[in-house]
């Protein structure tokens, strides 16, 4: 199935590793021009080298997403370099795993505000596209109890609400907005390989809650995202898509 992504322009914030890196690979393989950023120039360069074989245009830079002007400046530069923006996704995230002022502030600064600032900066560019799509990333920690009281879960619930409201506001501009709510996702450079080594009991307990007996892979999630942002899924906006291999037990509606 041709998703119609060839020639489209994707700007991905925080995609020098983990899920973002896999999404960059999948979109590039579909012929999408890709811009990425991350904290490490070495990691950014590594991803750019990895997708170079796809023959697409690419751009990348290292930046600190907690700086107020950093993400908007990157979005504008990326759109200029690629020749526009059809897809915007922010992957930046942090989780201190505690209910403290510092933890709330950390998630807001490293996760929520970079997403909001990036969307605001991308909006004028997306408005010029015939296939404009935004993806906001939440977490199954927002819909079921996970690791106790912590701001990460609460603020990821806020992302769902924000995404839904955006979808209504931006629909008139031809911009689709959907939210993805992943469960635990295994990528080679993501958190779960480290958790498996450092906290095997927690890792095994999480795995035991997977009815399939395995984690979602980064590529599985990335392919779902690629379909939703593609012109093949043009009627979907305002949705919350749970991709969790059955990890959450609620009825999904």
């Amino acid at each position: 199935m041709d998703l119609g992504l060839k020639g489209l322009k994707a700007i991905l914030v925080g995609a020098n590793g983990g899920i973002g890196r896999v999404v960059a690979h999948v979109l590039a393989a579909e012929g999408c021009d890709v811009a990425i950023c991350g904290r490490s120039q070495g990691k950014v360069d590594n991803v750019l080298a990895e997708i170079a074989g796809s023959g697409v245009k690419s751009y990348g830079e290292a930046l600190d997403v907690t700086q107020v002007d950093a993400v908007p400046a990157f979005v504008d530069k990326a759109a200029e370099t690629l020749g526009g923006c059809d897809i915007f996704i922010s992957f930046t995230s942090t989780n201190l795993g505690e209910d403290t002022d510092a933890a709330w502030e950390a998630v807001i600064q490293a996760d929520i505000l970079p997403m909001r600032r990036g969307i605001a900066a991308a909006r004028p560019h997306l408005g010029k596209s015939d296939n404009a799509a935004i993806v906001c990333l939440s977490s199954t920690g927002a819909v079921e109890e996970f690791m106790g009281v912590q701001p990460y879960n609460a603020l990821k619930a806020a992302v769902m609400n924000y995404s839904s409201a955006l979808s209504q506001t931006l629909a008139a501009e031809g911009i689709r907005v959907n939210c993805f709510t992943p469960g635990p996702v295994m990528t080679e450079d993501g958190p779960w390989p480290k958790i498996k080594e450092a906290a095997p009991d927690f890792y095994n307990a999480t795995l035991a809650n997977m009815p399939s007996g395995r984690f979602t892979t980064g590529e599985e999630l990335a392919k779902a995202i690629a379909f939703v942002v593609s012109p093949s899924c043009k009627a979907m906006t305002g949705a919350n898509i749970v991709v969790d291999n059955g990890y959450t037990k609620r009825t999904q509606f």
Side-chain angles (χ1 to χ4, degrees):
M1 178 179 179
D2 182 4
L3 297 180
L5 286 165
K6 187 173 182 180
L8 298 188
K9 323 293 183 184
I11 299 179
L12 312 177
V13 176
N16 66 340
I19 294 168
R21 172 175 168 250
V22 184
V23 171
H25 277 245
V26 169
L27 291 178
E30 291 289 334
C32 205
D33 296 332
V34 176
I36 65 167
C37 69
R39 286 177 293 183
S40 164
Q41 187 65 54
K43 289 184 177 180
V44 168
D45 291 342
N46 181 57
V47 176
L48 294 178
E50 289 170 349
I51 66 176
S54 300
V56 300
K57 185 183 295 185
S58 62
Y59 171 74
E61 64 177 87
L63 53 87
D64 178 358
V65 298
T66 66
Q67 298 299 308
V68 173
D69 296 328
V71 171
F74 163 71
V75 169
D76 286 339
K77 179 64 175 177
E80 177 186 358
T81 303
L82 297 183
C85 176
D86 303 287
I87 299 161
F88 177 83
I89 313 173
S90 179
F91 297 94
T92 65
S93 188
T94 192
N95 183 6
L96 274 61
E98 59 190 36
D99 184 21
T100 63
D101 284 1
W104 280 87
E105 186 68 22
V107 178
I108 290 170
Q109 292 296 332
D111 188 321
I112 305 303
L113 287 178
M115 176 193 68
R116 194 215 68 78
R117 292 168 182 154
I119 290 171
R123 184 172 172 178
H125 304 291
L126 290 164
K128 300 174 185 177
S129 169
D130 294 328
N131 298 285
I134 295 169
V135 164
C136 299
L137 284 172
S138 183
S139 164
T140 52
V143 299
E144 289 190 354
E145 193 284 329
F146 185 68
M147 296 180 66
V149 179
Q150 52 181 305
Y152 177 83
N153 295 343
L155 289 168
K156 282 302 189 182
V159 169
M160 292 182 195
N161 181 280
Y162 186 66
S163 175
S164 178
L166 275 177
S167 73
Q168 294 295 311
T169 298
L170 300 186
E173 300 174 28
I175 303 172
R176 297 187 298 115
V177 186
N178 290 290
C179 184
F180 270 79
T181 296
V185 177
M186 180 65 73
T187 62
E188 62 181 357
D189 55 355
W192 283 102
K194 298 174 185 176
I195 293 171
K196 183 178 181 179
E197 182 176 344
D201 290 343
F202 175 66
Y203 175 88
N204 290 328
T206 303
L207 183 60
N209 275 322
M210 299 286 189
S212 63
R214 66 177 185 85
F215 283 71
T216 302
T217 69
E219 186 173 21
E220 288 167 338
L221 175 60
K223 286 181 175 180
I225 291 173
F227 172 68
V228 168
V229 300
S230 77
S232 296
C233 198
K234 208 163 187 177
M236 180 182 284
T237 192
N240 178 47
I241 302 108
V242 178
V243 181
D244 69 349
N245 232 327
Y247 182 71
T248 56
K249 304 303 183 271
R250 65 179 186 143
T251 301
Q252 309 293 356
F253 62 85

